[in-house]
């Protein structure tokens, strides 16, 4: 975080109305970096099979599409991995916001059809809502990777969701108006690559339109953007100072950068604190849900046992009745 600086690239991007910024989030191994590379049309992010993940910090890459649109793609480390800890996740969230000062046009939530949807992913999405507010879902698009695996099994995404979609994932899809797309990041077919990216960008345009053309921003984005603009203006003013040595001007710039870094640190600590509270609350909620589920299962089990016992007693009564009838029949035959 410390050492973050404002550069000319950011100033250029901030003045380009056509620039769209998308952020990739999801569990380690779901294929975020590979999806980012597919969007960019080049191998910009490190991507390979790894149990521990490849992306270790937020990273921004840019591209210009054939129609002239500028797209910023921000890849994130495993913000959905609870083992990372609130401190790490907090720093990366603030770094992501710092990279997207003009706001986020779409949040791409990446899942893989190769892995099961987990309780941790559900909790992480709840954390995102806690940190950024419920309106963040208005900017979410769900990207399913592993399209090649479904193709090998001659299945569509609808087939997969109809067969494998757990209730929490159904709720997430409902929250984001079923905005979803399937990606095959391994394909060598140029036409297929183009079509899946166009489908995604079409959903991004839908999100932008439905949100009145406004990217997602909150007070954190605003504060960081204002701080960045102030720093940039101060550094330019320092460069034009008269009567100061080069060393003195460098010291002024250093002090200004430190002020901005202190601002980042304060915001990071605030996000970390909020994230810890959200994580604790979610863990408690998940524990309560687990307890309630176990109680319901136990109750169902007891009801089943009671039902089995009643069925057993009924069967015994029927057998006794049959035996009584059989004996009566034998007695009647003996008398005759």
């Amino acid at each position: 975080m410390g050492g973050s600086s404002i550069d000319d690239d950011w100033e250029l991007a901030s003045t380009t109305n056509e620039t769209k910024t998308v952020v990739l989030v999801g569990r380690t191994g779901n294929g975020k970096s590979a999806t980012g590379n597919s969007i960019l049309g080049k191998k910009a992010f490190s991507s390979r099979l790894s149990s521990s993940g490849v992306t270790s910090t937020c990273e921004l890459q840019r591209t210009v599409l054939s129609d002239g649109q500028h797209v910023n793609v921000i890849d994130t480390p495993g913000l959905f991995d609870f083992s990372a800890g609130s401190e790490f996740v907090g720093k990366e969230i603030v770094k992501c916001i710092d990279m997207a000062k003009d706001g986020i046009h779409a949040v791409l939530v990446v899942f893989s059809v190769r892995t099961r949807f987990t309780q941790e992913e559900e909790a992480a999405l709840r954390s995102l809502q806690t940190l950024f507010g419920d309106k963040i879902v208005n900017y979410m698009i769900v990207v399913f990777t592993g399209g090649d695996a479904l193709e090998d099994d001659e299945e569509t995404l609808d087939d997969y969701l109809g067969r494998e979609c757990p209730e929490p994932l159904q709720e997430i899809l409902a929250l984001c108006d079923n905005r979803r797309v399937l990606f095959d990041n391994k394909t060598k077919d140029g036409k297929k690559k183009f079509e899946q990216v166009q489908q995604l960008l079409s959903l991004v345009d839908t999100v932008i339109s439905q949100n009145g053309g406004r990217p997602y921003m909150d007070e954190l984005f605003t504060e960081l953007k204002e701080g960045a603009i102030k720093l940039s203006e101060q550094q330019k003013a320092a460069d034009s100072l008269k009567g100061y040595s080069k060393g003195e001007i460098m010291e002024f710039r250093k002090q200004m950068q430190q002020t901005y870094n202190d601002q980042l640190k304060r915001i990071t600590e605030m996000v970390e604190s909020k994230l810890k509270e959200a994580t604790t609350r979610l863990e408690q909620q998940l524990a309560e849900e687990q307890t309630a589920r176990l109680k319901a299962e136990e109750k169902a089990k007891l009801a089943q046992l009671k039902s089995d016992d009643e069925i057993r007693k009924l069967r015994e009564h029927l057998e006794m009745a049959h035996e009584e009838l059989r004996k009566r029949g034998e007695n009647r035959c003996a008398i005759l």
Side-chain angles (χ1 to χ4, degrees), residues 98-322:
D98 191 35
M99 289 177 171
K101 296 180 187 69
D102 285 317
I104 296 170
H105 292 91
V107 178
L108 309 183
V109 184
V110 182
F111 297 121
S112 173
V113 301
R114 290 186 170 89
T115 58
R116 290 176 59 253
F117 180 81
T118 66
Q119 196 175 46
E120 285 74 17
E121 286 173 307
E122 178 189 356
L125 283 167
R126 293 187 195 179
S127 291
L128 279 180
Q129 286 179 269
T130 301
L131 282 170
F132 298 113
D134 289 336
K135 71 175 184 177
I136 193 67
V137 300
N138 298 332
Y139 293 83
M140 280 170 38
I141 298 170
V142 179
V143 179
F144 290 94
T145 63
D148 54 304
L150 292 186
E151 191 172 294
D152 289 344
D153 293 335
E154 297 183 344
E155 282 192 325
T156 65
L157 182 57
D158 286 335
D159 293 332
Y160 168 78
L161 293 175
R163 174 174 51 82
E164 297 284 350
C165 194
E167 188 174 338
L169 182 52
Q170 292 177 29
E171 292 173 0
I172 291 164
L173 289 169
L175 281 173
C176 63
D177 292 333
N178 205 36
R179 291 187 294 269
R180 55 182 172 81
V181 61
L182 179 66
F183 259 53
D184 176 1
N185 291 315
K186 294 183 177 181
T187 184
K188 304 297 182 184
D189 185 334
K191 182 182 177 183
K192 187 176 181 181
K193 285 181 180 180
F194 176 80
E195 287 177 349
Q196 64 189 18
V197 171
Q198 288 304 305
Q199 185 181 355
L200 173 62
L201 293 175
S202 175
L203 288 174
V204 172
D205 287 339
T206 298
V207 167
I208 293 172
S209 175
Q210 290 179 347
N211 287 292
R214 295 182 298 275
Y216 175 82
M217 291 188 73
D218 64 8
E219 62 275 7
L220 295 181
F221 285 80
T222 303
E223 186 174 349
L224 283 175
K225 182 175 181 178
E226 289 174 351
I229 292 172
K230 183 179 179 181
L231 173 61
S232 180
E233 290 173 348
Q234 287 176 335
Q235 289 183 338
K236 286 178 180 177
D239 289 339
S240 62
L241 286 174
K242 305 295 183 181
Y244 290 92
S245 68
K246 187 175 181 180
E248 287 173 324
I249 292 175
M250 289 293 292
E251 183 60 29
F252 289 151
R253 289 177 63 89
K254 185 177 178 182
Q255 290 173 3
M256 294 167 193
Q257 181 67 55
Q258 185 58 49
T259 299
Y260 183 69
N261 289 344
D262 289 342
Q263 181 186 30
L264 285 178
K265 183 179 179 183
R266 177 179 55 77
I267 293 174
T268 299
E269 289 173 349
M270 182 178 68
V271 170
E272 287 172 10
S273 176
K274 195 173 181 181
L275 190 61
K276 284 177 182 176
E277 291 176 9
T279 301
T280 300
R281 189 161 56 249
L282 284 169
E283 286 175 346
Q284 182 179 351
Q285 184 178 342
L286 290 172
E288 289 172 355
E289 289 175 359
Q290 177 73 2
T291 301
R293 187 159 51 249
L294 290 173
K295 284 183 178 178
E297 290 174 357
E298 184 65 25
K299 187 176 181 180
K301 187 177 179 181
L302 289 172
Q304 184 63 48
L305 288 172
K306 184 178 179 181
S307 176
D308 291 344
D309 186 54
E310 290 175 349
I311 291 171
R312 181 183 57 77
K313 288 180 179 178
L314 180 60
R315 187 178 290 114
E316 288 177 353
H317 286 311
L318 285 171
E319 288 175 353
M320 289 173 64
H322 282 305

